[in-house]
Amino acid sequence: MNSQDTICAIATATGGAIGIIRVSGPDAIAITERIFTPAGNGTRSLSVRKPNTVCFGYIKRENGEVIDEVLVTIFRAPHSYTGEDSVEISCHGSSYILQQVMQTLIGAGCRNAAPGEYTQRAFLNGKMDLCRAEAVADLIASTSEAAHRLAMNQMRGAFSRELSILRERLLHLTSLLELELDFSDHEELEFADRKELTDISSQIERFIARLIDSFNLGNVIKNGIPVAIIGETNAGKSTLLNALVGDERAIVSDIHGTTRDVIEDTVNIDGVTFRFIDTAGIRDTSDVIENLGIERTYDKIRRAEIVLLMVDATEYASSLRSLIDKVHTACENKKLIVVCNKIDLCPGFKPTLPIALPPSSTSLISISAKTGTNIDTLKNLLISLSGITILSDNDVIVTNIRHLEALTNAQTAIHRVCEGISTGLSSDLISQDLRLCLFHLSEITGGEITTDEVLGNIFKNFCVGK
């Protein structure tokens, strides 16, 4: 991609009343002016108009035929999203009109923008760091209040500010150590107090570790909290999935072993996305296909954050004991909810938890998936167990695998710094590890990223027009 090209793209989804085309680059205003005629006699051309103003007129083909009545908004560098001269053309939302305007712009000298090229230009022109640029994609892709809040927090620079503080502290340590190296012929001089170095390095290591630990939470917020619905055959797992998602997503039947594979669907509950996984019923069977489904059930249990262990109320005690024996190991360290289903068939029945399940990590609820009894109570319980509602707008949560990798490498480097200080390693080697830690933290914000290949890989999954 040539950053000197002037690019254009449709920036809005099809089907709306209004469609917007973005034009950005050194000739954005001049190219738009070639195909745009302002309404009214004596109206000034775009090139002499003030920035941040809107002009009404007509987009015309080369032969003078009017394509559409439009509004053209002018932004002049550096005060635009990309930091370049930019124009936004607001047309009627017809896909035909938008495509005709695009073809006319390309004929006048534009080229089609690549996915993410607008945001990439914003990064290259210093309008945002790479961390904030990636948050743009997360914001567009957000499907829940929690994911939206995290993306907005990152776009506003919360993560970047934390990394900036870390960077300043690391630079302070590095400068002190390198000052010692400049006076290495005076061995008695020590500019960097070793206790201060130890304290600050340890604080930085703990802070990086906290950011790394936050990735699990960030990942489930971004992609949905995986919830495995498990139990014996005919316990009502598929009925519960349908009740939770509000649709006939899974086949419901009285025949045992109907669900032979996992079925997944996502639901947004009070701003939190849950990924529910209906699994094959756990039982002893000689059916090869059903056994494959049961094996996948155990795999989904291991991957889940929350496990709904469904038990038929009509045979509660025996079924629960049998299930605990089979899944107890797989459910270790999981948030477990024992769901006593079909209470509509057992009026007045009050189930209890067996001693084998510690009450501190296990919840119990009685429902009827068929009639909907206590489904809302179950949803509230899921929300409370998610832990996401306690997040504030100031929380810094890592959601990006690239950031995680950079932080992990930075953690390794700062750990070597701490070890080097404690063992009396020479200042030049400690300084080298400090600089390596700085390098990996800079990778997150883009300070050390210069190659088109790396940038292209980051921006390739953006949508066109952003």
Side-chain angles (χ1 to χ4, degrees):
M1 292 182 290
N2 187 343
S3 61
Q4 295 305 307
D5 292 345
T6 296
I7 57 176
C8 62
I10 300 170
T12 50
T14 57
I18 301 295
I20 296 176
I21 292 174
R22 309 176 84 179
V23 187
S24 183
D27 299 321
I29 296 173
I31 290 174
T32 305
E33 193 171 44
R34 291 172 198 163
I35 69 170
F36 175 74
T37 301
N41 295 324
T43 305
R44 291 180 301 164
S45 63
L46 296 180
S47 59
V48 298
R49 284 183 169 272
K50 292 181 180 181
N52 308 317
T53 58
V54 181
C55 182
F56 171 70
Y58 310 94
I59 298 292
K60 296 182 178 180
R61 293 190 175 92
E62 191 175 353
N63 62 7
E65 181 185 355
V66 174
I67 296 175
D68 196 17
E69 296 180 344
V70 301
L71 293 174
V72 171
T73 308
I74 301 169
F75 304 93
R76 296 190 186 273
H79 304 296
S80 70
Y81 180 76
T82 59
E84 305 170 324
D85 282 353
S86 299
V87 172
E88 288 189 358
I89 304 172
S90 299
C91 315
H92 291 95
S94 159
S95 59
Y96 172 78
I97 290 173
L98 290 168
Q99 289 301 329
Q100 290 300 303
V101 175
M102 282 290 294
Q103 289 177 24
T104 308
L105 281 167
I106 292 168
C110 281
R111 72 163 168 83
N112 266 313
E117 191 170 358
Y118 289 92
T119 305
Q120 181 171 338
R121 290 187 177 203
F123 163 69
L124 292 172
N125 292 325
K127 299 297 290 184
M128 61 180 73
D129 63 31
L130 197 55
C131 186
R132 295 188 193 190
E134 288 170 302
V136 173
D138 288 344
L139 186 65
I140 294 170
S142 62
T143 56
S144 68
E145 180 185 346
H148 173 267
R149 189 164 64 236
L150 281 186
M152 283 299 299
N153 193 24
Q154 187 167 313
M155 245 182 74
R156 289 170 180 164
F159 191 22
S160 298
R161 284 191 295 272
E162 295 285 358
L163 293 176
S164 178
I165 293 170
L166 276 182
R167 185 174 182 275
E168 290 301 318
R169 301 190 78 178
L170 285 165
L171 284 173
H172 173 66
L173 294 182
T174 305
S175 61
L176 291 176
L177 285 171
E178 294 192 356
L179 191 59
E180 286 184 7
L181 295 175
D182 290 339
F183 293 89
S184 56
D185 52 334
H186 299 279
E187 295 183 0
E188 72 280 1
L189 290 178
E190 188 177 86
F191 293 96
D193 179 81
R194 289 316 189 252
K195 184 179 184 306
E196 181 188 8
L197 283 178
T198 300
D199 290 344
I200 296 177
S201 299
S202 298
Q203 290 171 18
I204 291 172
E205 185 178 22
R206 288 194 296 271
F207 185 78
I208 292 175
R210 183 175 67 78
L211 289 176
I212 290 172
D213 289 342
S214 74
F215 177 75
N216 284 336
L217 177 58
N219 190 47
V220 298
I221 291 174
K222 189 174 179 179
N223 299 309
I225 300 170
V227 181
I229 306 174
I230 69 170
E232 294 182 332
T233 57
N234 222 21
K237 301 183 296 299
S238 297
T239 306
L240 176 60
L241 175 67
N242 292 339
L244 289 168
V245 303
D247 191 17
E248 296 299 315
R249 183 69 178 81
I251 297 172
V252 176
S253 170
D254 291 333
I255 301 171
H256 289 268
T258 301
T259 303
R260 297 186 170 205
D261 202 352
V262 295
I263 300 172
E264 298 189 22
D265 209 342
T266 56
V267 181
N268 189 305
I269 303 174
D270 290 345
V272 179
T273 300
F274 291 89
R275 185 155 42 88
F276 290 105
I277 308 160
D278 179 21
T279 62
I282 299 172
R283 67 168 179 166
D284 296 324
T285 178
S286 58
D287 188 301
V288 176
I289 302 300
E290 190 176 349
N291 271 320
L292 286 173
I294 293 170
E295 287 178 17
R296 291 185 180 182
T297 295
Y298 284 100
D299 180 61
K300 294 299 180 181
I301 293 172
R302 285 187 286 270
R303 295 170 184 265
E305 293 284 325
I306 301 174
V307 176
L308 301 183
L309 196 158
M310 288 199 70
V311 185
D312 188 331
T314 61
E315 45 191 32
Y316 178 78
S318 60
S319 293
L320 183 57
R321 277 195 303 271
S322 175
L323 273 174
I324 291 172
D325 290 340
K326 293 173 181 175
V327 304
H328 186 270
T329 302
C331 289
E332 286 182 355
N333 303 317
K334 306 292 180 185
K335 296 171 182 176
L336 182 64
I337 303 176
V338 174
V339 181
C340 179
N341 188 32
K342 303 183 184 180
I343 58 170
D344 53 307
L345 302 178
C346 306
F349 176 64
K350 294 184 178 180
T352 57
L353 285 175
I355 298 175
L357 294 173
S360 59
S361 59
T362 308
S363 305
L364 173 64
I365 185 170
S366 297
I367 70 162
S368 171
K370 184 176 181 179
T371 65
T373 303
N374 289 339
I375 295 297
D376 286 341
T377 305
L378 175 58
K379 290 180 178 179
N380 291 334
L381 180 57
L382 287 166
I383 287 289
S384 66
L385 289 178
S386 73
I388 291 177
T389 53
I390 63 174
L391 292 177
S392 71
D393 289 338
N394 297 319
D395 287 324
V396 177
I397 307 294
V398 178
T399 62
N400 188 303
I401 190 68
R402 189 183 69 81
H403 300 173
L404 177 66
E405 183 179 358
L407 286 167
T408 303
N409 291 332
Q411 183 185 46
T412 301
I414 197 66
H415 182 70
R416 285 201 301 266
V417 169
C418 294
E419 285 188 335
I421 295 171
S422 66
T423 58
L425 199 65
S426 62
S427 297
D428 58 335
L429 294 176
I430 294 175
S431 180
Q432 184 176 342
D433 282 326
L434 279 172
R435 286 199 166 277
L436 191 59
C437 184
L438 271 168
F439 169 79
H440 290 305
L441 292 178
S442 296
E443 284 183 312
I444 297 174
T445 55
E448 301 292 340
I449 293 183
T450 56
T451 68
D452 290 340
E453 182 181 357
V454 174
L455 287 177
N457 187 56
I458 290 170
F459 288 103
K460 69 180 180 182
N461 293 319
F462 276 56
C463 56
V464 175
K466 200 63 179 178

